[in-house]
Amino acid sequence: MEKILLGVLLLTTVSGGVPASSDMTGKVFIFPKESATAYVSLIPKVKKPLQNFTLCLKAFTDLTRPYSLFSYSIPSQDNELLLFVKKMGVYMLYLGNSEVTFNAPPSSYTPTHVCASWESASGIAELRVNGKLLGRKGVRQGYSVGSEAKIILGQEQDSFGGQFDASQSFVGEIWDVSLWDHVLPLKEMLDLCNSGNILNWQDLTYEDNGYVVTKPKVWT
């Protein structure tokens, strides 16, 4: 019996699928290959509707096809909050299934620091890549982002928590993912990029699934 219990424990440790809370400072999630089964579920520190938010993350990939950076769905909306790259340098921000597009100069084979912010009162969304503002655009004025969410890294949700498409999966490395319930000033976006009050990279609760590897960060 002891051997059986030990085997079950080892299988659980290797295969993932169990929520863990960890200080991820200096670490990255690596998605080593295209897949419809590899992803990380993020569990927010607080569940609440969002009238404002700032989302920041860092990523490295050599993909030239479309892929998802951050997928936040609710039962009634698969693209409740989605940060999606259509092609190199073309970023799409979805709110309540409505989207705005931002264009950046292509910067292949270098890490990217992306910050998106939005406020409900004005409907203004901003996107910054490596600290540079790509513009201010209006989307979903007066809207509230739902609280009962599935938050996924590595895949784009076409239904609540699932229906992944390998051709939209992320391949590469993601780190310093944080989400706030307010719009951060630029300096704080750059200096406090891993300490959100909804998702906090320094105290992250997550569940990895499939072929996802956690390794020390090699990028600055």
Side-chain angles (χ1 to χ4, degrees), residues 16-173:
V18 177
S21 184
S22 178
D23 182 354
M24 293 292 289
T25 302
K27 299 177 183 178
V28 303
F29 290 128
I30 302 176
F31 300 87
K33 65 179 184 179
E34 183 174 293
S35 166
T37 58
Y39 63 97
V40 176
S41 296
L42 304 182
I43 301 170
K45 298 175 71 64
V46 179
K47 287 187 176 183
K48 58 183 294 188
L50 299 176
Q51 283 77 43
N52 309 278
F53 71 79
T54 301
L55 166 67
C56 289
L57 59 83
K58 296 177 182 178
F60 172 81
T61 183
D62 58 4
L63 291 173
T64 57
R65 60 161 173 77
Y67 59 89
S68 171
L69 281 171
F70 183 92
S71 177
Y72 178 119
S73 77
I74 61 174
S76 60
Q77 303 269 27
D78 53 347
N79 295 333
E80 180 71 348
L81 168 53
L82 171 67
L83 183 57
F84 191 82
V85 179
K86 185 176 182 179
K87 61 181 181 180
M88 192 177 295
V90 180
Y91 295 85
M92 303 181 72
L93 178 65
Y94 287 77
L95 280 167
N97 278 359
S98 298
E99 80 278 356
V100 285
T101 301
F102 298 87
N103 295 287
S107 56
S108 57
Y109 311 122
T110 58
T112 304
H113 181 192
V114 182
C115 282
S117 64
W118 171 80
E119 59 181 20
S120 177
S122 67
I124 294 299
E126 299 183 2
L127 190 77
R128 295 179 184 269
V129 174
N130 296 329
K132 182 177 180 181
L133 179 64
L134 301 185
R136 301 179 180 186
K137 299 188 177 183
V139 60
R140 282 292 203 171
Q141 183 180 13
Y143 190 68
S144 179
V145 176
S147 59
E148 294 300 320
K150 297 286 188 181
I151 305 175
I152 301 291
L153 301 179
Q155 302 286 344
E156 193 269 313
Q157 302 173 74
D158 284 330
S159 65
F160 184 56
Q163 202 173 338
F164 304 139
D165 181 347
S167 67
Q168 296 180 331
S169 65
F170 178 80
V171 180
E173 304 181 24

Side-chain angles (χ1 to χ4, degrees), residues 186-205:
L186 173 59
K187 186 176 188 306
E188 292 186 28
M189 286 186 192
L190 299 177
D191 295 344
L192 304 175
C193 60
N194 56 3
S195 58
N197 64 337
I198 304 297
L199 295 171
N200 186 331
W201 195 250
Q202 297 175 335
D203 184 18
L204 189 71
T205 302

